[in-house]
Amino acid sequence: MSVPQYRKAAALALVAGLGLSLTACSTKSDDTTSDAGGKVTITVDCQPVGSQKELLKNWNDDVVEFQRQNPNIVIKSVSVGEQCNNPPDFTARLAGGTVTDVFYGYMTDLQQVLDSGQAMDITQYATKDTVPTWDSVDPALKEVFTDGGKLYAVPVKNYSMGLVYNKVLFQQAGLDVNNPPKTWGEVRDAAKKISALGNGIAGYAEYSAGNTGGWHFTSLLYSQGGQVLTPDGKKADFNNAMGKQVLQNLKDMRYGDNSMGARQLLQWGDLLTNAGAGKVGMFIGAPDATQAIVSQFQGKFQDWAMGPLPGQDGPAKATLGGGEGYFFKKGLSPEQVKAGLKWIAYQKLTPGKGQFDYVRAKPQNYPVGLPQPLLFANGSEAQKQELELRKANANVDTTNFAIFEANPVPIKGEPRNAQAIYAVLDAVMSGVLTNPNANVDALLKTAEDKVNKLLAAES
């Protein structure tokens, strides 16, 4: 999950009535093929929602310019509101057959998309002809969306997690903004000092609902050196000392210190709403979490900085990495697939255009200069162009991310069947954060049994 955006379940009541309605996602194939005039029409989801006024305007302007440059292609944008940031809703949309021609999904979604039978093999179409920067896209990201040698989606975002913290609250609590916590013990100490400021401020905040709790449990487990599944992917591997340590850390902060706030069962939008209001001292997230705080939740990017993910008694052993991409619905014509790839290339994979149009974003209330999205391979031509543009147009103090970038933590990918597993692990996180008498061993054992049954059913 990432932020998009990345990996989060929006809890705000966002209006989904822009563009086509959700029902319109299931348009018949004869509505989305070439028309009598020779034009190719495709539906594409995850148009920014109405509350993201500048992002929505940018998207609509890009559609107009793209269609001007490609007069034979018509892009029909579909906003499905929070469903593009809410894994359970995505699953429901997939099961209901209401996906658009070109539809957004997380890197963890490949298996369920394949199981649904709705994904199209786009291997033969993904070339430099349709995506001019294709050779620059990191091969590891392409591999994430590949199964059996066949490519099913194009990566459009990549991230890794660290410790995001509020510099204003750090200063008020007497903490050094240039020396964020490096261990979970230091996080606990800092959280106590921040929460002591009062006014409903949580020293440290955490997710525990909408699959986001399981997502963060995974990253916390990685920091301990653990893994969610055994190397062969057939058994759960979190009911151990490392998994227990993750939950004990949270239980100690939540009930031993009362430094996590009284309100729990937070999803993505809940936590970031609180962060934007200056009520959160620290949380784990990707660099674009600060972007969302500013563009969607009325925060100030100068208030936020980022360090590497803490470890238990030293540097973290690993951190969670992930991202998202666009799939293609089975049954599209070759012309539609090529049109969709050209649109994604323009909007998501071209330095200076779409999400990389830093000249446009610089004067807007939209951070430029974050070390993300990391889509292009190091040393590639597109990577050099993107980095130059990012530095030239930065409107954030890039030193706020210097500690994060200077202390890279090994990135570990998300587990197989991640979303289904995250849903199970939500109960572990919510249990330890809402019940002072929660039995850590029992929570982990129950989750282990459920995950093993889930894996056995799919083997």
Side-chain angles (χ1 to χ4, degrees):
M1 294 184 178
S2 152
V3 303
Q5 296 276 57
Y6 283 42
R7 219 161 242 299
K8 355 169 272 216
L12 299 181
L14 299 177
V15 178
L18 299 167
L20 301 178
S21 68
L22 178 59
T23 304
C25 296
S26 58
T27 49
K28 295 180 180 179
S29 59
D30 59 356
D31 292 328
T32 54
T33 55
S34 299
D35 61 24
K39 291 191 175 184
V40 176
T41 299
I42 55 170
T43 55
V44 182
D45 67 3
C46 288
Q47 175 191 36
V49 295
S51 60
Q52 300 169 287
K53 294 181 180 179
E54 288 178 327
L55 295 182
L56 177 58
K57 182 179 185 301
N58 292 347
W59 172 286
N60 290 336
D61 289 347
D62 287 344
V63 170
V64 171
E65 177 58 22
F66 175 80
Q67 292 181 151
R68 187 191 69 79
Q69 295 182 20
N70 299 273
N72 292 327
I73 299 175
V74 176
I75 303 293
K76 289 189 176 181
S77 303
V78 178
S79 173
V80 289
E82 67 183 67
Q83 291 196 15
C84 284
N85 292 319
N86 190 325
D89 284 353
F90 171 79
T91 299
R93 196 150 33 95
L94 193 66
T98 58
V99 295
T100 47
D101 298 331
V102 182
F103 61 98
Y104 169 106
Y106 298 126
M107 288 181 178
T108 53
D109 288 325
L110 176 61
Q111 192 57 53
Q112 69 164 324
V113 172
L114 292 178
D115 289 345
S116 76
Q118 296 187 63
M120 184 170 183
D121 172 11
I122 60 170
T123 310
Q124 64 176 309
Y125 303 108
T127 67
K128 289 185 68 175
D129 290 337
T130 52
V131 183
T133 59
W134 189 241
D135 289 348
S136 291
V137 176
D138 192 330
L141 303 183
K142 298 176 186 178
E143 182 63 28
V144 170
F145 288 119
T146 299
D147 184 78
K150 297 178 180 179
L151 180 73
Y152 290 94
V154 175
V156 299
K157 187 159 289 187
N158 181 40
Y159 73 91
S160 67
M161 286 192 179
L163 183 72
V164 183
Y165 60 98
N166 186 311
K167 295 197 302 179
V168 174
L169 295 180
F170 259 52
Q171 291 172 332
Q172 291 176 359
L175 298 167
D176 185 353
V177 297
N178 297 313
N179 187 28
K182 299 179 179 63
T183 67
W184 288 110
E186 292 178 4
V187 169
R188 182 179 180 184
D189 290 341
K192 284 191 286 188
K193 292 177 181 178
I194 295 169
S195 63
L197 296 172
N199 297 319
I201 294 171
Y204 177 83
E206 192 51 273
Y207 297 129
S208 55
N211 294 25
T212 57
W215 169 47
H216 270 207
F217 175 88
T218 298
S219 192
L220 298 174
L221 183 65
Y222 287 175
S223 78
Q224 301 282 342
Q227 56 190 11
V228 174
L229 303 179
T230 54
D232 61 10
K234 295 182 179 180
K235 294 284 186 179
D237 194 22
F238 51 78
N239 184 12
N240 50 38
M242 290 174 285
K244 292 174 185 178
Q245 187 65 67
V246 167
L247 298 186
Q248 193 62 51
N249 288 342
L250 294 173
K251 189 174 183 181
D252 288 345
M253 285 194 287
R254 172 70 174 96
Y255 292 107
D257 306 333
N258 193 29
S259 63
M260 294 184 65
R263 185 188 173 200
Q264 297 300 322
L265 300 178
L266 303 179
Q267 299 189 46
W268 183 70
D270 303 316
L271 194 158
L272 296 189
T273 296
N274 295 341
K279 300 296 184 181
V280 173
M282 297 174 287
F283 64 98
I284 64 169
D288 68 345
T290 61
Q291 189 177 79
I293 287 171
V294 174
S295 64
Q296 298 182 51
F297 302 100
Q298 290 75 55
K300 299 176 181 179
F301 49 73
Q302 62 264 33
D303 292 351
W304 296 92
M306 191 168 175
L309 187 69
Q312 187 59 33
D313 300 306
K317 303 293 179 60
T319 187
L320 179 66
E324 52 219 46
Y326 271 94
F327 293 87
F328 290 70
K329 185 171 67 176
K330 184 172 288 186
L332 298 181
S333 69
E335 292 74 20
Q336 286 179 290
V337 176
K338 292 175 183 178
L341 286 168
K342 286 183 178 180
W343 163 248
I344 293 171
Y346 181 88
Q347 177 65 14
K348 302 294 185 180
L349 293 172
T350 301
K353 303 294 182 184
Q355 71 169 333
F356 294 119
D357 190 343
Y358 299 141
V359 173
R360 175 176 65 186
K362 183 177 181 178
Q364 297 177 342
N365 191 28
Y366 194 78
V368 177
L370 306 183
Q372 190 181 317
L374 305 175
L375 285 170
F376 303 118
N378 286 333
S380 67
E381 188 60 31
Q383 190 257 355
K384 294 175 184 176
Q385 293 174 3
E386 187 273 332
L387 185 59
E388 289 177 2
L389 286 168
R390 191 197 320 164
K391 289 181 176 178
N393 294 281
N395 61 7
V396 299
D397 185 352
T398 56
T399 60
N400 288 338
F401 300 91
I403 299 172
F404 173 73
E405 292 192 273
N407 298 276
V409 175
I411 296 174
K412 189 177 178 66
E414 298 182 85
R416 170 177 162 243
N417 296 318
Q419 293 304 331
I421 292 172
Y422 292 165
V424 172
L425 291 172
D426 268 359
V428 173
M429 294 289 276
S430 62
V432 80
L433 292 175
T434 61
N435 180 6
N437 299 313
N439 185 314
V440 168
D441 291 343
L443 287 171
L444 287 172
K445 182 62 170 68
T446 299
E448 178 186 37
D449 291 343
K450 288 183 178 180
V451 169
N452 284 338
K453 287 180 182 178
L454 184 157
L455 295 173
E458 296 194 0
S459 62

